[in-house]
Amino acid sequence: MTALLRASDLWKSFGERPVLRGVSVQLNAHEVVAVIGSSGSGKSTLLRCLNLLETIDDGQILLGDEDISDPRVDANRVRARFGAVFQQYNLFPHLSVIDNVTLAARVVHRMPRPDAEAKAMALLERVGLADKAREHPDRLSGGQQQRAAIARAVITDPELLLLDEITSALDPELVGDVLALVRELADEGATILMATHEMAFARDVAHRVLFLDQGRVVEQGPPAQVFGAAREARTREFLSRFTA
Ligand code: ADP
Ligand code: MG
């Protein structure tokens, strides 16, 4: 099987500070990989480097058979192959929900507005937000905003979804609906790389868990192994903070 994404030996510093120190990660099609690790370990930087929001200092990123780390590639075109959702501030406040969901489809993928709106309405229906389509984001709860952001990320049928702690800014009672939606996408065969602190969710949904510590992949494996029988002391120490 050829991997959909193959990132090899990624290095990234901000000023003098090394943040990614030789990170490699592979994703096969339909695979769900959870990146766990302390705050500051480099999870967001890794995801941002993968979809070219940050430039790497060294290493290589292959998406399919394209070297997207080649400085000559058009970053906007590559970014259009990913769907990305971040912790917060995902929606444009001045646009209605449906305009948010359809924007990339219309502008980047040149989908005609009626087609984009029909597809957006079907997605909003599915995420339980059909009645909010004409509202502005500030009229939605945080959980509703994240579900709209997920609809926006998947409307273009991306090859890979990057989810960066998408429930961390939510009130606890709003987390469940968002995670349920991610689980559905995973069940349908989406390829997902997600940074998360939701350990129970990672254990249930991810096919593989990758523990990042100070910019290095300390350990990775199936959730049962990483959560149940971690090989590395650092991993066990990190996980012990969640099960206390
Ligand atoms: P995580 O998502 O695991 O919490 P991040 O990737 O956000 O970690 O951050 C890793 C380190 O990189 C942190 O020390 C953070 O302060 C630093 N960092 C992240 N982005 C920038 C930036 N744009 N400029 C300078 N330092 C940054
Ligand atoms: Mg982060």
Side-chain angles (χ1 to χ4, degrees), residues 46-197:
L46 171 62
L47 267 53
R48 290 172 57 80
C49 285
L50 294 177
N51 79 340
L52 310 186
L53 289 169
E54 300 284 355
T55 51
I56 52 174
D57 301 329
D58 201 4
Q60 189 185 48
I61 307 168
L62 299 174
L63 181 61
D65 50 19
E66 182 179 8
D67 180 357
I68 63 169
S69 50
D70 184 326
R72 291 165 301 186
V73 302
D74 173 356
N76 285 318
R77 180 183 58 74
V78 169
R79 230 170 275 139
R81 298 171 65 183
F82 291 93
V85 184
F86 302 98
Q87 190 171 343
Q88 56 194 135
Y89 310 123
N90 280 295
L91 302 175
F92 295 111
H94 59 290
L95 295 180
S96 66
V97 168
I98 190 152
D99 283 349
N100 264 286
V101 174
T102 57
L103 186 67
R106 289 186 282 117
V107 175
V108 183
H109 293 260
R110 310 219 172 272
M111 200 185 285
R113 184 183 278 271
D115 299 359
E117 293 202 343
K119 194 165 181 188
M121 279 314 297
L123 280 168
L124 287 172
E125 190 85 48
R126 170 165 176 202
V127 304
L129 293 174
D131 59 328
K132 304 287 186 200
R134 302 289 161 188
E135 302 276 10
H136 278 69
D138 62 359
R139 302 291 300 276
L140 274 57
S141 72
Q144 290 171 330
Q145 290 187 33
Q146 286 303 58
R147 275 144 53 204
I150 293 170
R152 185 177 66 174
V154 300
I155 192 171
T156 53
D157 300 319
E159 293 163 62
L160 182 60
L161 270 180
L162 299 174
L163 307 179
D164 190 3
E165 296 199 41
I166 63 170
T167 59
S168 311
L170 300 181
D171 292 332
E173 70 271 22
L174 302 177
V175 168
D177 285 347
V178 174
L179 293 182
L181 179 56
V182 176
R183 183 191 298 261
E184 267 182 49
L185 295 170
D187 287 346
E188 288 164 13
T191 308
I192 299 176
L193 183 62
M194 58 179 183
T196 188
H197 281 121

